Amino acid sequence: PAPPSVAAILSDAEALDAICAREAGVGSREGRGVDTQVRNSRLCALYPPPPPSAGCIDTRMALYRAADSLRAELQTAVSPSLPELHHFQTELSYLSYPEGGFYKRHLD
């Protein structure tokens, strides 16, 4: 199956933004927090999945398949010394940036 269209992804992201998006943070899990000097954006994580009643589940399923296909393709192309890219451990999120939004280079 073909990957979803940009219009379908945008429509799904906008629908989910209203119910599950939060201010995107910076840092590792232990030190994660919102720092508006480094990042000004909203995030809706797609793993774990948002409620199936929100947005368009068919669009997200097509996006999951496309991301998984890319993961598998990268896995076969990378050096054997690199760690394995595990299924369902790849981050997948919708991010939205308001006018003037940004994500600056930084060290966690």
Side-chain angles (χ1 to χ4, degrees):
S5 71
V6 171
I9 293 170
L10 181 59
S11 176
D12 188 47
E14 288 172 342
L16 292 179
D17 184 72
I19 63 161
C20 72
R22 59 180 167 74
E23 293 302 311
V26 296
S28 62
R29 290 185 181 188
E30 297 82 34
R32 181 172 291 292
V34 173
D35 183 345
T36 57
Q37 299 301 308
V38 174
R39 185 176 201 171
N40 179 12
S41 62
R42 292 175 51 81
L43 175 142
C44 181
L46 299 180
Y47 289 134
S53 60
C56 181
I57 189 71
D58 291 337
T59 296
R60 284 193 301 281
M61 292 307 294
L63 190 57
Y64 295 148
R65 285 190 300 273
D68 194 51
S69 176
L70 177 60
R71 179 202 55 79
E73 197 173 317
L74 287 171
Q75 190 62 55
T76 61
V78 298
S79 165
S81 64
L82 293 176
E84 185 175 349
L85 300 169
H86 295 282
H87 185 66
F88 287 117
Q89 290 185 346
T90 302
E91 275 189 43
L92 188 58
S93 301
Y94 287 146
L95 290 159
S96 62
Y97 291 82
E99 188 172 326
F102 57 88
Y103 187 33
K104 293 181 181 176
R105 182 184 292 217
H106 67 285
L107 295 175
D108 287 339

